[in-house]
Amino acid sequence: MERSTVTFFLFLIITGAAIGDPLEMMVGNLGDSLSVPCRSIVGNETLSVVSWLKDGGVVASQNLSVVQTPSDDKRLSITKEGSLNIAGLLLIDEGIYICNYSSLDHKTETQMGIQLLIAGGPTNVRTEVTPVAALPNGTLFVQKDSAVSFNCSSNSYPSQTLSWVFQDLESNSSVLASSNKSPLELHVSSIQSSNQGTYSCIAQNTLSNQTASKSTLLLVYYTPDRHPECSWVMGNDSSHLLLNCSWHGSYPLPTLQWEEVLGADRSKPPVLNVSMTTESLVATLNRSELYDGQTLQCTGQNQMLRSQPRFCSVTLKAPLPKGVTLLTALEGGNATLTCSEANSTPVAKTSWRRRTSNSQIQEVVPSAKYIVSDLGPEFTLKIVNISKFDEGVYLCRSENTLMVKELEFLLTVESSVSYAGGVVGVFIAMLIIGVGIAVGVSAYRNRDRICLGKIIPFMEEERHDVFHLVESDDEEIFSEPVARSIAAATNGHATSIVQIHRIPSSDHEDLGTTDTEVEETSKPPEQELVTF
Ligand SMILES: *[C@@H]1O[C@H](CO)[C@@H](O)[C@H](O)[C@H]1NC(C)=O
Ligand SMILES: *[C@@H]1O[C@H](CO)[C@@H](O)[C@H](O)[C@H]1NC(C)=O
Ligand SMILES: *[C@@H]1O[C@H](CO)[C@@H](O)[C@H](O)[C@H]1NC(C)=O
Ligand SMILES: *[C@@H]1O[C@H](CO)[C@@H](O)[C@H](O)[C@H]1NC(C)=O
Ligand SMILES: *[C@@H]1O[C@H](CO)[C@@H](O)[C@H](O)[C@H]1NC(C)=O
Ligand SMILES: *[C@@H]1O[C@H](CO)[C@@H](O)[C@H](O)[C@H]1NC(C)=O
Ligand SMILES: *[C@@H]1O[C@H](CO)[C@@H](O)[C@H](O)[C@H]1NC(C)=O
Ligand SMILES: *[C@@H]1O[C@H](CO)[C@@H](O)[C@H](O)[C@H]1NC(C)=O
Ligand SMILES: *[C@@H]1O[C@H](CO)[C@@H](O)[C@H](O)[C@H]1NC(C)=O
Ligand SMILES: *[C@@H]1O[C@H](CO)[C@@H](O)[C@H](O)[C@H]1NC(C)=O
Ligand SMILES: *[C@@H]1O[C@H](CO)[C@@H](O)[C@H](O)[C@H]1NC(C)=O
Ligand SMILES: *[C@@H]1O[C@H](CO)[C@@H](O)[C@H](O)[C@H]1NC(C)=O
């Protein structure tokens, strides 16, 4: 502002132009060549003398074809059209230029001044992104969530505007920061995947509008917190093992490697050693390459994890069916065979088979007769309505990619008749003992009333109170009743007589036997056991 005011007044002094006339302005870049035109010369006029004045002093003049430069500045020349050519512009070339010429007819004209401004730059644009690492091809990458600083500087004369411009992978651009000062710093406290793209620092000379920029591609890499996931299944034909290692969420794509973990014996090469840059790596092995206890490992790696790869692994285990193998079932009932297969890796295919009478193996086909269930490690075979035919050997067959293992179950069937017979025998024995005890106890408790009932009709007729006492367990046995007068009514009507009967123990036993027979006929044991 200051400069233009000064030059403006200078211009007024020199030209005497009216206040308010616009001063023509020219901008030249440092080092460039520039031609300042002598505006008022009409195309084909024959010039005699042209002189160029800068800031009031003559810098170059030409009389016909002879050019004179008082300062002997070789950079200055005057064209035949009267323009002043300046080669290799310097800052000192800034100023107001006026051309003064005379034509052959001695007409003299002085044109309006042209202000020449010199612009420099922008040059030497430097960018710095910290902290980052570089890929082998030089591309910068940074870990997601880290703090990143962008710094840009540039040289410009007389002034410049610096901007950080971001362009994402979809080529959408946005200006992140802009300033007239150098350096321009930009801080991102937690960089995200959306911040991945090209960062350009653009410097623009405020005078010449010339721009210069420097771009940097910044990749934001990410490693998932979790480990790769290993999974393993049997192939269609049981003899192939399919290994699947997947590790999602890593950017860039991770390198996955399936490898056999070799034990102490490293004489043989590993049966498995494949690697690929992918999110999911599948490997297939066949039975001949596998053994019990073999460990297969998947390693996941990416740029961010150079020294600490992540793993998952599988250790193969042969099937091992377990269960209670000796079973007895009752004819007409159900039998349940339970086989547990918790060991096998990969998960085995477990099925039931039966060895027939002629030693052939038959697959047990699920039906109303054979109810098969598969609850995780528990496999059951329920044989419904057992008959003697069902007796024999059943096999719980477990197969995985390593091998086949079979567990033999032996089922014995007991006929319901022999079973019922046994039950009846036990029942009768229990009954005899029970009744014996019951009779004995009740007889003892009622020993003073046993005989009374037989005397009562007589007693009522005779109006005598007679008591019969039965003492079966007395040692003495009386064949004749012994009567004793206990009490006699004073009026002579009523007499109380107590008769003590000594009953032989054989009588008592007869009574007991009779009772038992009654019990048996009222509850036929055969029938009840059949319904059991
Ligand atoms: C100068 O130019 C004008 C217009 O362009 C033309 O009419 C005139 O003849 C020219 N004179 C000479 C001497 O070439
Ligand atoms: C230009 O040169 C001519 C002839 O050489 C001379 O007569 C004339 O005076 C010179 N004019 C000026 C301004 O030097
Ligand atoms: C322009 O040139 C003529 C002739 O050479 C001279 O008389 C006149 O003073 C000059 N004008 C200026 C402003 O220098
Ligand atoms: C460098 O490698 C990265 C990742 O492979 C790629 O995105 C980028 O375009 C490469 N840069 C150059 C200059 O080849
Ligand atoms: C930015 O860059 C300039 C010039 O290269 C340097 O002077 C300045 O210290 C840098 N700032 C930071 C924060 O690195
Ligand atoms: C990028 O530009 C496209 C097309 O102009 C637009 O559809 C899209 O939403 C933009 N994406 C962002 C993140 O601004
Ligand atoms: C620079 O750009 C501004 C705005 O676009 C314009 O007014 C000005 O004339 C330009 N300057 C030059 C030297 O091109
Ligand atoms: C497994 O069986 C399915 C269906 O029978 C078939 O589509 C698939 O290709 C088979 N896979 C292999 C590896 O043999
Ligand atoms: C491997 O596992 C991944 C993730 O569980 C799944 O998306 C992919 O389909 C699997 N590949 C095969 C061949 O089973
Ligand atoms: C597995 O293969 C890689 C190259 O693909 C090799 O460097 C490595 O030594 C191999 N591992 C074994 C145990 O042979
Ligand atoms: C099992 O794999 C080995 C090695 O890859 C191969 O030599 C053999 O033929 C394969 N056997 C079967 C049955 O696929
Ligand atoms: C035997 O199993 C069948 C079918 O589950 C069932 O209906 C029946 O009641 C079972 N019989 C016995 C005695 O448990």
Side-chain angles (χ1 to χ4, degrees):
M1 189 66 196
E2 221 171 6
R3 187 216 325 243
S4 62
T5 315
V6 169
T7 50
F8 184 65
F9 283 116
L10 191 63
F11 165 77
L12 288 180
I13 292 160
I14 293 166
T15 62
I19 293 175
D21 274 1
L23 187 64
E24 189 182 343
M25 213 182 287
M26 284 188 81
V27 175
N29 285 309
L30 271 175
D32 286 359
S33 292
L34 183 89
S35 181
V36 186
C38 192
R39 294 283 184 219
S40 44
I41 295 174
V42 183
N44 51 12
E45 242 177 294
T46 307
L47 300 174
S48 56
V49 178
V50 179
S51 52
W52 277 95
L53 297 96
K54 180 193 171 213
D55 298 340
V58 176
V59 290
S61 63
Q62 178 177 282
N63 186 352
L64 296 174
S65 59
V66 182
V67 177
Q68 293 164 333
T69 51
S71 58
D72 199 25
D73 191 341
K74 298 269 170 12
R75 299 181 301 122
L76 304 177
S77 62
I78 294 170
T79 64
K80 74 177 200 301
E81 291 85 27
S83 304
L84 175 67
N85 270 355
I86 310 171
L89 283 171
L90 299 171
L91 282 180
I92 52 162
D93 295 327
E94 276 192 331
I96 293 174
Y97 288 82
I98 292 165
C99 85
N100 180 15
Y101 73 91
S102 314
S103 57
L104 281 177
D105 52 4
H106 297 286
K107 190 180 87 183
T108 299
E109 277 204 33
T110 302
Q111 72 159 111
M112 289 191 299
I114 295 179
Q115 181 173 23
L116 177 63
L117 297 174
I118 301 297
T123 56
N124 196 16
V125 180
R126 296 170 303 273
T127 58
E128 198 184 351
V129 184
T130 48
V132 289
L135 293 175
N137 71 8
T139 300
L140 303 180
F141 67 92
V142 65
Q143 181 148 20
K144 186 175 171 249
D145 298 324
S146 55
V148 181
S149 292
F150 301 85
N151 187 8
C152 176
S153 60
S154 164
N155 297 339
S156 278
Y157 178 83
S159 63
Q160 65 182 344
T161 306
L162 287 178
S163 315
W164 271 112
V165 176
F166 170 67
Q167 185 178 49
D168 66 17
L169 299 180
E170 293 170 335
S171 298
N172 291 356
S173 294
S174 56
V175 176
L176 302 177
S178 193
S179 160
N180 291 328
K181 288 183 196 143
S182 178
L184 171 62
E185 285 163 20
L186 170 68
H187 299 283
V188 176
S189 58
S190 173
I191 200 151
Q192 299 301 308
S193 303
S194 58
N195 301 131
Q196 174 170 281
T198 304
Y199 289 83
S200 304
C201 176
I202 299 174
Q204 183 175 38
N205 190 302
T206 41
L207 184 58
S208 64
N209 287 356
Q210 275 216 345
T211 60
S213 69
K214 196 172 174 197
S215 297
T216 307
L217 174 63
L218 182 66
L219 302 176
V220 179
Y221 281 176
Y222 173 66
T223 302
D225 294 332
R226 47 186 194 280
H227 292 258
E229 276 173 30
C230 287
S231 65
W232 45 89
V233 286
M234 266 197 279
N236 284 352
D237 60 357
S238 302
S239 69
H240 282 84
L241 176 68
L242 301 181
L243 297 167
N244 184 1
C245 177
S246 71
W247 199 31
H248 294 283
S250 167
Y251 178 80
L253 281 180
T255 299
L256 299 180
Q257 182 184 27
W258 266 117
E259 203 178 4
E260 181 188 13
V261 177
L262 295 173
D265 177 23
R266 289 171 184 272
S267 54
K268 280 187 286 180
V271 296
L272 180 63
N273 186 12
V274 289
S275 82
M276 205 184 279
T277 299
T278 175
E279 284 200 316
S280 176
L281 178 61
V282 176
T284 305
L285 289 172
N286 68 31
R287 187 168 283 175
S288 63
E289 299 167 309
L290 305 173
Y291 59 88
D292 191 17
Q294 186 175 30
T295 298
L296 304 163
Q297 176 179 274
C298 174
T299 309
Q301 205 156 13
N302 70 10
Q303 253 88 9
M304 304 307 300
L305 289 171
R306 281 181 195 287
S307 53
Q308 301 122 347
R310 305 261 177 93
F311 305 96
C312 65
S313 68
V314 53
T315 298
L316 304 179
K317 283 183 184 164
L320 186 59
K322 285 181 183 170
V324 177
T325 56
L326 291 178
L327 295 116
T328 302
L330 181 59
E331 207 170 0
N334 296 340
T336 301
L337 282 62
T338 304
C339 178
S340 86
E341 175 51 79
N343 193 60
S344 174
T345 308
V347 171
K349 278 181 193 154
T350 302
S351 60
W352 290 95
R353 291 175 179 221
R354 185 179 177 189
R355 187 174 293 154
T356 56
S357 48
N358 50 1
S359 284
Q360 282 184 324
I361 304 291
Q362 260 180 2
E363 192 86 33
V364 170
V365 179
S367 61
K369 172 78 178 170
Y370 298 112
I371 299 168
V372 173
S373 85
D374 167 1
L375 295 171
E378 295 272 290
F379 295 85
T380 61
L381 170 64
K382 183 174 179 183
I383 308 170
V384 177
N385 192 14
I386 291 279
S387 69
K388 201 70 188 170
F389 169 78
D390 295 317
E391 195 166 77
V393 173
Y394 292 82
L395 301 167
C396 171
R397 183 182 195 271
S398 238
E399 174 173 19
N400 74 4
T401 321
L402 295 172
M403 62 182 75
V404 178
K405 281 230 180 124
E406 289 182 330
L407 179 65
E408 277 193 9
F409 287 73
L410 181 61
L411 179 67
T412 315
V413 175
E414 285 203 355
S415 78
S416 54
V417 176
S418 60
Y419 185 71
V423 172
V424 169
V426 170
F427 184 80
I428 289 173
M430 296 295 285
L431 208 60
I432 289 168
I433 294 166
V435 168
I437 291 168
V439 168
V441 169
S442 74
Y444 180 78
R445 287 213 180 122
N446 301 325
R447 60 185 178 275
D448 55 339
R449 284 174 49 203
I450 293 292
C451 297
L452 198 59
K454 294 178 183 173
I455 307 301
I456 283 169
F458 160 80
M459 190 179 74
E460 282 172 347
E461 275 179 336
E462 300 292 319
R463 298 178 66 86
H464 287 175
D465 291 333
V466 178
F467 296 89
H468 295 255
L469 293 182
V470 179
E471 291 183 346
S472 64
D473 36 17
D474 268 1
E475 283 173 21
E476 288 174 288
I477 297 167
F478 299 89
S479 51
E480 295 293 319
V482 179
R484 248 183 268 167
S485 179
I486 298 170
T490 45
N491 57 13
H493 291 307
T495 329
S496 292
I497 296 165
V498 173
Q499 280 189 313
I500 300 172
H501 295 252
R502 306 265 179 198
I503 297 167
S505 53
S506 59
D507 288 359
H508 188 198
E509 278 179 5
D510 283 349
L511 182 70
T513 312
T514 314
D515 279 356
T516 309
E517 278 163 4
V518 169
E519 286 267 349
E520 281 181 353
T521 43
S522 68
K523 288 182 184 175
E526 302 273 338
Q527 276 176 16
E528 183 170 331
L529 288 167
V530 168
T531 59
F532 186 78

